[in-house]
Amino acid sequence: MNVDIQESWKKLLHDEFEKPYFEQLVRFVKSEYRETTCYPPGNQIFSAFDHCHFETLKVVIIGQDPYHGVGQANGLCFSVNDGITHPPSLINIFKEIQSDLGTPYPKSGNLERWAKQGVLLLNATLTVRAHQAGSHQKKGWEVFTDAVIRTINAHSNDVIFLLWGGYAKQKAKLISADTHTILTSGHPSPLSANRGYWFGNKHFSKTNECLVSKGKTAIQW
């Protein structure tokens, strides 16, 4: 099956696109986009891969679902389009960056700027029905994105995985800790952050320290 995904990823994932589950997933997604309103726009479903090529990959951040509100989702986890009000989790991410690195709170919630520096912003489920959180879970996307994590684990070295919250932490079993770096904390959502599980994790400075120690360029968060 010919999937419109960035070429460096297509070379690594081509076998996945031929599997029966993926063909069923594509049929489901096409039907959903045809019959209902879904997010992100169809041409942004694989934006995480389009903006962060495999050769430039340094960091992986794992989310769960795209935002399901009008105009929010752009294919990158935790990211929203320019001009969109920042959701609570993104606000807490930016507050932690502000505290950790002493940088000003950014105006734009569009995280393409991270992706272009080598941060793969990967939701476990890449599509969602409008206003229905979790509506495209367990349809095959998680099988695919787990395969992406396994591919990164097998074909690269010294990638930093940021696993925030219980769901993301489950992905640690797919990652070789002796080859890659895994940083975990609570989720940036208010429920977790307000209980003390998010703020102060210093994941952004720790990530940059690790990158520099490996001779790589730090991320401009």
Side-chain angles (χ1 to χ4, degrees), residues 9 23 27 29-30 35 38 40 48 50 56 58 84 91 104 111 118 121 128 140-141 159 161-162 165 168 173 206-207:
W9 292 102
E23 295 180 4
R27 284 196 295 271
V29 170
K30 285 182 176 179
E35 297 172 10
C38 295
D50 294 335
T56 65
K58 298 177 181 176
I84 297 293
I91 290 172
L111 302 182
L121 295 157
V128 69
W141 277 129
V159 173
F161 289 83
L162 304 184
K173 63 182 182 289
K206 288 177 181 177
T207 294

Side-chain angles (χ1 to χ4, degrees), residues 49-131:
F49 304 93
D50 294 335
H51 293 299
C52 176
H53 300 177
F54 181 77
E55 294 89 347
T56 65
L57 179 65
K58 298 177 181 176
V59 181
V60 178
I61 299 177
I62 297 174
Q64 192 162 1
D65 253 20
Y67 296 122
H68 52 82
V70 177
Q72 290 182 305
N74 61 9
L76 310 174
C77 73
F78 296 106
S79 173
V80 292
N81 289 309
D82 291 329
I84 297 293
T85 300
H86 299 176
S89 290
L90 184 59
I91 290 172
N92 286 339
I93 288 170
F94 285 160
K95 284 181 176 177
E96 176 59 25
I97 292 172
Q98 203 175 11
S99 169
D100 185 15
L101 301 176
T103 54
Y105 187 99
K107 291 180 181 179
S108 173
N110 191 332
L111 302 182
E112 280 185 19
R113 60 186 182 274
W114 294 3
K116 289 175 180 176
Q117 297 177 74
V119 182
L120 182 67
L121 295 157
L122 182 67
N123 274 317
T125 302
L126 297 188
T127 57
V128 69
R129 192 182 286 193
H131 313 301

